[in-house]
Amino acid sequence: MSASSAGRSALRMGPAELVQAAAMARRFYLEGKSKIQIAEEFGVSRFKVARVLETALERDLVRIEIRVPAELDAERSDALRARYGLRHAVVVESPADADSADSADPENLGEVAADLLGELVTEGDVLGLAWGRSTIHMAAALDRLPPCTVVQLTGVYDAGTAERGSVEAVRRAAQVSGGDAHPIYAPMLLPDAATAAALRSQTGIARAFEYFDKVTVAAVSIGSWEAGISTVHDMLTKEEREHYASLGVAAEMSAHLFDAEGRRVGRDLGERCITVEADRLRRIPEVVAIAGGQRKAAAIDAVLRSGLVTSLVTDTAAADHLLTTRPMQRPALDRADPDGA
């Protein structure tokens, strides 16, 4: 936003008008003064000030530029937000190498998601973090958070790597915020429902579960139903993977499975998992999904159609696919605004 020399059309204004318009524009756009303040300074009505400012724009005396950091795509972000009825959508540039666009850059997505959480979380909130490579990178990139409680929403992929995964992410976020941490020292997937139920009743895990209904902001990851890009897919046996594939699974989020229309399928899997229930996720005012890459685009679409997600951090490779899919039949966002709007 800058006051520049007048263009050819602005020469139609007299020199006194040009000087006055430039001065008013400088006061309004660069110094942040109100139209009433400018009117008092120049001894004119605020309506005159409004007309002068409008004329300055029309005649190119003032040029307004909207700039966002190069890695953010504002146009795609706004289009994606509108298409899926999201509260927030942030699209980052995919890797320059076209071949690498198939897979997202989790570090880059995590850094942008960390900045978004810094905006969304307020003092006294309860922040929930689910397992996922992107959420782990997000936690590592956090450098500001208001005082809040941080709770783990899912068990870990591998109990032997807990310190380098979800548990460490929860501790890191709590350290940045100065709040309490409630990690879950348990695998995400158990052999059967009885074992999972027994673990949920253990003191430490039960304490974390007690916070699920208090979570106000959550960060989750999305996986496609294929090897390497779905944690749950990789934890199952070949027979189990084929069984759920036969049900039409297109996406996985926090051990919940969805078909291409966003309907939950294979609900029995959740009984074997240490994870936040889908109904509880739906009640969380702000659920931010972090996922990108062409390979995950269809899965992201499926999860967005479920209505469980309110905001999305993704990349241009996934966004281009999402913006060409069939429109939503209803907005995904069906919660009240956390700010009461």
Side-chain angles (χ1 to χ4, degrees):
M1 184 164 51
S2 61
S4 65
S5 59
R8 180 174 299 176
S9 59
L11 293 177
R12 298 173 185 172
M13 300 174 69
E17 290 177 306
L18 279 171
V19 170
Q20 185 183 67
M24 289 184 176
R26 179 172 293 278
R27 303 290 193 280
F28 185 74
Y29 291 108
L30 300 183
E31 298 176 12
K33 292 188 176 180
S34 69
K35 293 174 183 177
I36 293 177
Q37 290 174 314
I38 297 171
E40 291 176 350
E41 178 182 349
F42 287 89
V44 298
S45 70
R46 61 186 177 89
F47 302 104
K48 169 79 179 289
V49 173
R51 286 197 301 272
V52 170
L53 292 175
E54 184 178 349
T55 300
L57 283 171
E58 291 174 350
R59 299 190 177 184
D60 205 28
L61 185 65
V62 170
R63 296 176 184 172
I64 297 177
E65 296 180 2
I66 300 174
R67 293 182 178 179
V68 296
E71 71 270 16
L72 299 183
D73 191 310
E75 185 175 350
R76 284 185 176 93
S77 298
D78 188 55
L80 205 56
R81 179 199 57 76
R83 187 176 189 85
Y84 285 93
L86 296 168
R87 187 169 291 132
H88 304 284
V90 181
V91 178
V92 303
E93 289 290 337
S94 295
D97 182 357
D99 292 335
S100 64
D102 285 344
S103 300
D105 179 350
E107 290 190 24
N108 192 26
L109 289 177
E111 290 173 2
V112 174
D115 287 341
L116 179 60
L117 275 195
E119 292 183 59
L120 299 180
V121 176
T122 59
E123 184 172 352
D125 275 344
V126 176
L127 172 62
L129 299 182
W131 161 266
R133 296 179 183 88
S134 296
T135 53
I136 291 171
H137 284 294
M138 179 204 69
L142 284 171
D143 59 10
R144 62 185 176 102
L145 270 182
C148 65
T149 298
V150 186
V151 61
Q152 193 169 323
L153 296 178
T154 62
V156 299
Y157 173 51
D158 181 349
T161 62
E163 296 300 319
R164 301 190 299 276
S166 304
V167 171
E168 179 55 32
V170 169
R171 286 177 171 172
R172 167 65 183 168
Q175 179 184 34
V176 172
S177 74
D180 294 332
H182 295 277
I184 294 177
Y185 293 96
M188 181 189 295
L189 180 66
L190 282 304
D192 52 62
T195 305
L199 273 178
R200 291 190 202 103
S201 66
Q202 291 188 358
T203 303
I205 298 174
R207 186 178 297 116
F209 268 64
E210 289 173 358
Y211 276 90
F212 285 1
D213 286 329
K214 303 174 184 178
V215 173
T216 49
V217 180
V220 300
S221 294
I222 296 172
S224 297
W225 199 244
E226 55 181 298
I229 48 179
S230 167
T231 300
V232 173
H233 177 281
D234 293 347
M235 288 192 290
L236 295 173
T237 65
K238 178 182 178 182
E239 292 73 18
E240 288 172 330
R241 291 195 293 266
E242 291 175 350
H243 164 67
Y244 290 116
S246 71
L247 301 179
V249 175
E252 172 264 318
M253 179 182 70
S254 302
H256 301 296
L257 309 181
F258 305 87
D259 68 11
E261 299 299 327
R263 296 181 294 251
R264 287 187 61 208
V265 295
R267 294 174 184 246
D268 61 304
L269 181 64
E271 297 175 3
R272 296 171 49 194
C273 293
I274 302 298
T275 186
V276 60
E277 299 94 328
D279 289 342
R280 279 175 158 171
L281 268 177
R282 193 179 297 278
R283 293 196 294 268
I284 297 174
E286 186 76 76
V287 177
V288 181
I290 311 162
Q294 291 177 3
R295 291 177 66 190
K296 282 192 178 182
I300 297 170
D301 175 62
V303 172
L304 292 182
R305 290 175 184 276
S306 75
L308 294 177
V309 168
T310 62
S311 298
L312 175 68
V313 177
T314 190
D315 57 20
T316 52
D320 285 343
H321 172 87
L322 294 170
L323 291 171
T324 58
T325 59
R326 62 200 187 288
M328 292 277 294
Q329 296 301 311
R330 59 175 177 78
L333 186 58
D334 54 8
R335 289 114 155 143
D337 190 289
D339 296 325

